[in-house]
Each structure stands twice: as structure tokens, then as C-alpha cells.
Amino acid sequence: MGTRGLLAAAVSLVVAVAVAPAATAVPEAATSPDPNLTVTSVTLGRAAVAVSGLNTVAVPVTVVGGYKTTEPGTVFLNVFLDRTGGTGPARYMVAALLGLVSGTVQSGTWKGSLYVPSTANGTFKVTGVMEGTIIDGSTGSMTTPTPFAGPSIAVTGLHLPRIGVSIIPKVVPFGSAYTARVAITDSATGKPYGSRINVQITWDNLCVEHDGDRYLTNTAGIAERVYPAAAADALNCVRLRGRAFDTAGLGWSVSRPGIVGATLSRTSVPVGTIVPVNGTVAGAPSKCAVVLQRLTGATAWRGVSQDVVRQSGRFTVLAQPPYVGNVIYRVYFPTCGRFQAGYSKSFVIRGT
């Protein structure tokens, strides 16, 4: 499934990540434009529009062209527009399911509407046209939109929606369910819109394709979802849905605790002998650093060896007792991405 991303402002209590929560009719395996589609012209009914809050403005769209087909059924066209300027979170728009109003499928005129949201705020240009009856999900087509350099529309967006998410608990234990609390507010005032808003709060592949997991906020713009434990290691997202594309969205990764275990290969060695210390970090945060620390004095810990976590979650650091007697060590895992800092239990290697 091909996607075009929308990213709202990052929020606290989660690790915000780039996400493309808007599904389109362009599949991942798409290879080339549809050879059966010919586009002669694309016309937009307005060159500029102002939109506020959660509203949309319908802009007429007309396509003149032809589609070579012998299959029965109705042919619909979809017009794609890409951002060329401005700062709104929407990166593209689609005028979906334009219907044939005159002529023939092979040489005719299609009309429909582009529903412009406030989050478009900026300038968009027609870049392509595609045949298809499904926009919000895969058509199964192996084609991309047929390129067409069409007209532009300038969008003035006011009171754009802002999406915030809090995760409860803030750091999610392994094997535990958790709650996502979504808040949608007016970015200009910081206040809710006062209406109930339909949102999609979901995870994994539903962040980029098809529909489902719909929730309705209260009038304060708040909605909550309890996620299953399995969702904590996948992409999570909230999508503010439009008619053929998402008007806003936010993706995040859940924070995880840094749980470190370490096992000694030997507990007593001659001074200066290297002792491998093997261990694991829960969740296998590969390529993250781990540091073997030695206690010096009463409270000071000094790094003496370092490794990175392998894909298996395992690591090996090297201890080397510098003096006769008990030498106290621990393994430190610094904060890495969504994984929080953690320590292993301290352990002793006796130098002889």
C-alpha cells in the first residue's frame, strides 16, 4: 500500500515518529501509470479557498479524458494534488470518485469535488489522475497515478486541529496493556472545538491502510483507547479522517523500560584477567549501547567496557579486576530511543 504522510505536532509522554497515516489507492508494488488512462485537462472550480477548524470546503473538479476498457461497470477517476508551499500538516489531497457526466468512458467528462480541510493550509497543485473505485484502501491496481501538471489551489487554513497523545502508564511494562488518551484541540486557541469528533485510534498496518478502530471524542475533544500488550512494539497512531485522505494524524512509539540482565563467566580470577560478562536487554533494542561500570570509592561508577545490543538482545562486555579483593560492577543501559535507561544488579568479581 502506498502512502503519503501527515504529521501533527509531537507531544509529551510518547516518542513521536514519522508516520504516514493516510491511505491512498497507490499500492506499494505499483510500477507505472495506467496505460489505459488518457488525461486531456483537469479544472478546479476555485483557485483559492479559506477553511476553518474541522470544516471542509467542497471545490468542484472536472477531468476531461478517456479510459480504454471493455470491462462492464462504472469508471471513476481520482485526482491527486501535492503540496507545493505552505505549512499545514496535510501533504496531499485527493478529489475522489469523480463520475462520468457526459460523453463516453473512452472520451468523456468526469466531475466531482475536492473536500479541502483547514490542515491543507498552503498551496497544492494537481499532479496526477488515477482510475479506481477505492481510495481509502488498496484497489489491487499495479499502477500509479498518471502524471498531469494541472492547476493549483491556495488554501488559507484557520484554527487548525492539533492532536496530542498521552500514554498511561508513561513507560509501558513488557506484557502489559496500556491506554492512549487522545486530545484534539484548536491550535490557535488551545481549547477544544466543543463538538464530538470521529477519530481512528489504531496500530500497525491500520495506520496506513483501510478503516477501523473508530472512536468518538467527548465534547472536550478527548477519546481513549486501551491497547493490547502486543501493540506496544508496533507503530501506534491516531488519524483524523477525511473523505478520501486523512486531514491530520500522529504516530508514536510506546516508551519501554530498560531492563538489563548480566551473567558472569567467572567470579574469581587473577588480577588483570579479562572476564567476559554476557547479558541481555529486554525488548532487544539493537544497536543501542551498554556500558560496564566499576564502582570506585563509595558511590562513583566508572565506565570500563562498552558494547552494543545485538538483534537477539544480547551483549558482551569485558571486566578486568585491577586489584586484589572484591571488585563491584554493574551494566548500565543509557536511554536509547523509546527505551529508558536501566541498570543490571551489581555483581562482584574477586581479584586474586
Side-chain angles (χ1 to χ4, degrees):
M1 170 74 54
T3 60
R4 302 188 183 202
L6 300 174
L7 181 62
V11 295
S12 62
L13 305 189
V14 298
V15 180
V17 296
V19 63
T24 78
V26 187
E28 283 183 357
T31 56
S32 62
D34 190 336
N36 294 319
L37 178 61
T38 301
V39 181
T40 302
S41 68
V42 178
T43 304
L44 300 179
R46 298 177 66 173
V49 64
V51 194
S52 182
L54 301 172
N55 298 314
T56 59
V57 173
V59 174
V61 181
T62 301
V63 175
V64 176
Y67 192 76
K68 298 178 182 178
T69 180
T70 58
E71 296 181 5
T74 303
V75 171
F76 292 96
L77 298 183
N78 308 291
V79 177
F80 292 82
L81 298 89
D82 286 298
R83 176 181 292 281
T84 58
T87 59
R91 297 180 183 172
Y92 82 106
M93 295 191 290
V94 180
L97 305 181
L98 276 63
L100 184 68
V101 295
S102 64
T104 65
V105 170
Q106 290 73 27
S107 178
T109 299
W110 283 260
K111 289 189 176 183
S113 294
L114 170 67
Y115 294 91
V116 181
S118 64
T119 53
N121 189 43
T123 304
F124 286 75
K125 180 178 176 60
V126 172
T127 57
V129 180
M130 185 175 184
E131 186 276 335
T133 57
I134 300 176
I135 285 296
D136 188 16
S138 174
T139 62
S141 172
M142 296 299 291
T143 62
T144 60
T146 296
F148 187 84
S152 295
I153 183 170
V155 181
T156 301
L158 306 170
H159 297 277
L160 279 62
R162 173 185 172 88
I163 301 175
V165 179
S166 297
I167 301 301
I168 306 169
K170 180 177 179 180
V171 179
V172 179
F174 292 95
S176 296
Y178 57 97
T179 298
R181 187 173 189 264
V182 173
I184 299 177
T185 56
D186 183 331
S187 60
T189 66
K191 298 178 180 180
Y193 290 102
S195 59
R196 305 188 75 184
I197 304 167
N198 193 307
V199 296
Q200 185 179 3
I201 308 174
T202 190
W203 59 294
D204 202 31
N205 64 311
L206 287 181
C207 287
V208 294
E209 61 182 26
H210 301 301
D211 203 356
D213 294 341
R214 289 288 189 125
Y215 293 80
L216 196 63
T217 72
N218 58 24
T219 55
I222 304 296
E224 292 188 351
R225 177 192 177 161
V226 176
Y227 276 92
D233 292 318
L235 175 66
N236 293 187
C237 69
V238 57
R239 303 170 63 179
L240 189 57
R241 309 304 301 274
R243 297 204 184 198
F245 56 95
D246 289 3
T247 60
L250 179 68
W252 67 88
S253 292
V254 171
S255 294
R256 287 296 207 182
I259 301 176
V260 186
T263 303
L264 297 176
S265 58
R266 300 176 67 180
T267 58
S268 180
V269 296
V271 171
T273 302
I274 294 176
V275 179
V277 178
N278 297 309
T280 59
V281 180
S286 62
K287 299 183 180 180
C288 292
V290 287
V291 181
L292 178 67
Q293 296 179 328
R294 187 180 79 232
L295 182 63
T296 59
T299 59
W301 291 92
R302 174 188 174 192
V304 294
S305 177
Q306 183 169 318
D307 194 16
V308 294
V309 180
R310 300 187 287 274
Q311 287 187 346
S312 62
R314 300 189 62 80
F315 63 84
T316 300
V317 288
L318 304 176
Q320 191 172 15
Y323 54 81
V324 174
N326 291 335
V327 185
I328 301 175
Y329 294 92
R330 71 181 182 186
V331 177
Y332 169 51
F333 174 75
T335 297
C336 184
R338 67 192 184 98
F339 290 84
Q340 307 305 296
Y343 300 91
S344 72
K345 293 181 179 179
S346 60
F347 52 88
V348 174
I349 300 177
R350 182 170 180 78
T352 60

Short mmCIF file of all heavy atoms in Angstrom, two decimals, residues 32 75 106 143 176 180 207 237 266 273 289 350:
data_model
loop_
_atom_site.label_atom_id
_atom_site.label_comp_id
_atom_site.label_asym_id
_atom_site.label_seq_id
_atom_site.Cartn_x
_atom_site.Cartn_y
_atom_site.Cartn_z
N SER A 32 3.97 1.61 -12.71
CA SER A 32 3.92 2.61 -13.76
C SER A 32 2.49 3.15 -13.87
O SER A 32 1.55 2.55 -13.38
CB SER A 32 4.34 1.99 -15.10
OG SER A 32 3.45 0.95 -15.45
N VAL A 75 -16.69 3.55 -14.42
CA VAL A 75 -15.32 4.01 -14.23
C VAL A 75 -15.33 5.31 -13.44
O VAL A 75 -16.03 6.26 -13.80
CB VAL A 75 -14.61 4.23 -15.59
CG1 VAL A 75 -13.26 4.92 -15.39
CG2 VAL A 75 -14.41 2.88 -16.29
N GLN A 106 -14.54 6.19 -23.02
CA GLN A 106 -13.35 6.31 -23.86
C GLN A 106 -13.03 7.77 -24.19
O GLN A 106 -11.88 8.10 -24.50
CB GLN A 106 -13.55 5.52 -25.16
CG GLN A 106 -13.54 4.01 -24.98
CD GLN A 106 -14.80 3.48 -24.31
OE1 GLN A 106 -15.87 4.10 -24.41
NE2 GLN A 106 -14.68 2.34 -23.64
N THR A 143 -0.79 0.08 -10.81
CA THR A 143 -0.43 1.32 -11.47
C THR A 143 -0.34 2.48 -10.48
O THR A 143 -0.90 2.43 -9.38
CB THR A 143 -1.44 1.69 -12.56
OG1 THR A 143 -2.71 1.88 -11.96
CG2 THR A 143 -1.53 0.59 -13.60
N SER A 176 2.19 -5.84 29.18
CA SER A 176 1.06 -5.14 29.78
C SER A 176 0.28 -4.33 28.75
O SER A 176 0.86 -3.77 27.82
CB SER A 176 1.55 -4.18 30.87
OG SER A 176 2.15 -4.90 31.94
N ALA A 180 -4.10 4.87 25.53
CA ALA A 180 -3.75 6.09 24.80
C ALA A 180 -4.88 7.09 24.99
O ALA A 180 -6.04 6.78 24.70
CB ALA A 180 -3.54 5.81 23.33
N CYS A 207 -2.53 1.83 10.48
CA CYS A 207 -2.04 3.22 10.44
C CYS A 207 -1.81 3.70 9.02
O CYS A 207 -1.60 4.90 8.80
CB CYS A 207 -0.74 3.34 11.24
SG CYS A 207 -0.96 3.26 13.04
N CYS A 237 -0.97 4.97 16.25
CA CYS A 237 -1.31 6.22 15.58
C CYS A 237 -2.73 6.65 15.88
O CYS A 237 -3.57 5.83 16.30
CB CYS A 237 -1.12 6.09 14.06
SG CYS A 237 -2.33 5.00 13.27
N ARG A 266 33.01 -15.96 35.07
CA ARG A 266 33.86 -16.35 36.21
C ARG A 266 33.66 -15.33 37.32
O ARG A 266 33.41 -14.15 37.06
CB ARG A 266 35.34 -16.41 35.81
CG ARG A 266 35.62 -17.41 34.68
CD ARG A 266 37.07 -17.37 34.24
NE ARG A 266 37.98 -17.85 35.29
CZ ARG A 266 39.30 -17.90 35.15
NH1 ARG A 266 39.86 -17.46 34.02
NH2 ARG A 266 40.06 -18.36 36.13
N THR A 273 43.05 -10.28 34.67
CA THR A 273 42.43 -11.25 33.77
C THR A 273 41.13 -10.70 33.20
O THR A 273 40.32 -10.12 33.93
CB THR A 273 42.13 -12.57 34.51
OG1 THR A 273 43.35 -13.09 35.05
CG2 THR A 273 41.51 -13.59 33.56
N ALA A 289 23.72 1.18 22.98
CA ALA A 289 24.93 0.93 23.74
C ALA A 289 24.62 0.36 25.12
O ALA A 289 23.56 0.62 25.71
CB ALA A 289 25.72 2.22 23.90
N ARG A 350 36.08 -11.27 42.14
CA ARG A 350 37.20 -11.19 43.11
C ARG A 350 38.52 -11.29 42.37
O ARG A 350 38.76 -12.23 41.61
CB ARG A 350 37.08 -12.27 44.16
CG ARG A 350 38.18 -12.21 45.22
CD ARG A 350 37.93 -13.13 46.38
NE ARG A 350 38.99 -13.04 47.35
CZ ARG A 350 39.14 -12.06 48.23
NH1 ARG A 350 38.24 -11.09 48.28
NH2 ARG A 350 40.14 -12.06 49.09
#
